[in-house]
Amino acid sequence: MPICSFYIQQLKLSNYKSYSFKEFNFSEKLNFIVGNNGVGKTNLLDAVYYSCLSKSYFSSDLMVPNFQDAFFRIETNVSLGVDNQLVEFKYLKQEKKEISLNKVKVEKLTSFVGKYPCVFITPDDNQLILGASEIRRKFIDATLCQFSSDYLLHLVSYNKVLTQRNALLKSFYEKRTFDNALLDVYNQQLVQAGNFIHQFRKDFMLQFVPVFEKYYRQIFDGDEQIDIHYHSDLLDNDYATLLETTQEQDRVAQRTTKGIHLDDIVFEMKNFPLKKIASQGQQKTVLLSMKLAQFELLKIEKQVMPLLLLDDIFDKLDSGRITKIFQLIKSESFGQVFISDTDIDKIEQLIENNNCKQYKIIPLD
Ligand SMILES: Nc1ncnc2c1ncn2[C@@H]1O[C@H](COP(=O)(O)OP(=O)(O)OP(=O)(O)O)[C@@H](O)[C@H]1O
Ligand SMILES: [Mg+2]
């Protein structure tokens, strides 16, 4: 079965970050968003991301409205296969956000997330390699929540029970009491959601690693070996038994010391941690390969062509690598792509050198 096409035709923003009101029309293939620092390139890409996933890549809903305002609104005309769809988001402070699809209210966020797959690559993403494990878990979760609404539901449930269990451990400690039966109720819920999430992440990583390696070699010409491992307390342990054996430790620490909330992805180059020895360009190549692998797996899972948002990615990459990435994204393996850059000459050069036909330049000022 062919992959279902997906692209955004038109986007109308009201009060979205720096945009008080603005309308954009896009090419179904390459879109170049060009302008000086601070003109709103990243904000526009973020609004596209929002249209797909009903959340900003960077900020909570509260921080999205144009300064001092209490609302924002996004209206998108989407083409999905043979359908044209109208998607609207209305946010009013202190009220529940409203999403509607073809003027019909979407009751459950879980039924919306995953419909419009999207991958965003920003300069801040180097934190995926350099930063804390939480950022890598967010990367996995952002992918898997688009994969499966069941995953999203289990993740919400796990986080809720984890917060409750930690609060209980704290209160036991403060009141110098202990109730094994009560703790056990939380343990069972944690085990149920935790095992589901662990299995999903483990299966995902098995698919992810070879696709990552394929892209890494394709862009990097395969001169360095990068090893990626999924680390989890649950890999060699039954979670229920683990919670029992660490009960004393948890009581002293007043929090849950083992579980999937501490999972990580470990990168190594020549048996050293990648962040210690890789150059900035190498880190960026690893990052791009991860995101392209995320793209490919989302495409296969959803059978829909995801959007690709590239925010200022050409910085720090040599021209050989830029050309490779460019050739890749303009091929049929990719659909609608948004690329932001400050340098119009560089973009025009890229378009010419790569003989791009289907594109639109969107200048911002
Ligand atoms: N909620 C908001 N309300 C109003 N303005 C905002 C809001 N959030 C961000 N901004 C402003 O939007 C402006 C544009 O930001 P953006 O990050 O999109 O610029 P950019 O074109 O990507 O710049 P650069 O080339 O430096 O990456 C900034 O001046 C920022 O302060
Ligand atoms: Mg920017």
Side-chain angles (χ1 to χ4, degrees), residues 291-337:
K291 294 281 185 153
L292 295 180
Q294 180 188 28
F295 183 97
E296 184 162 319
L297 294 180
L298 264 176
K299 179 168 74 172
I300 295 168
E301 181 66 28
K302 307 307 293 186
Q303 291 292 302
V304 173
M305 186 64 89
L307 299 192
L308 183 64
L309 312 177
L310 305 175
D311 192 11
D312 249 333
I313 62 149
F314 296 135
D315 204 34
K316 292 252 161 44
L317 286 179
D318 55 48
S319 60
R321 236 161 266 182
I322 291 177
T323 304
K324 284 221 169 94
I325 294 168
F326 212 77
Q327 289 294 342
L328 205 62
I329 57 174
K330 85 179 246 278
S331 77
E332 295 208 330
S333 311
F334 288 79
Q336 193 177 33
V337 182

Side-chain angles (χ1 to χ4, degrees), residues 114-129:
K115 245 183 197 327
Y116 307 127
C118 181
V119 169
F120 200 165
I121 311 183
T122 82
D124 289 354
D125 286 332
N126 64 357
Q127 287 306 311
L128 203 52
I129 291 157

Side-chain angles (χ1 to χ4, degrees), residues 37-38 40-43 123 311-312 340:
N37 296 133
K41 300 181 296 297
T42 303
N43 292 348
D311 192 11
D312 249 333
S340 80

Side-chain angles (χ1 to χ4, degrees), residues 206-235:
L206 278 178
Q207 286 176 277
F208 181 80
V209 171
V211 183
F212 163 83
E213 285 173 346
K214 178 186 84 177
Y215 279 116
Y216 189 74
R217 277 193 296 270
Q218 209 168 346
I219 303 170
F220 216 178
D221 293 331
D223 45 0
E224 285 101 359
Q225 172 72 31
I226 304 285
D227 296 305
I228 305 188
H229 310 281
Y230 167 51
H231 269 212
S232 175
D233 293 328
L234 270 60
L235 276 177

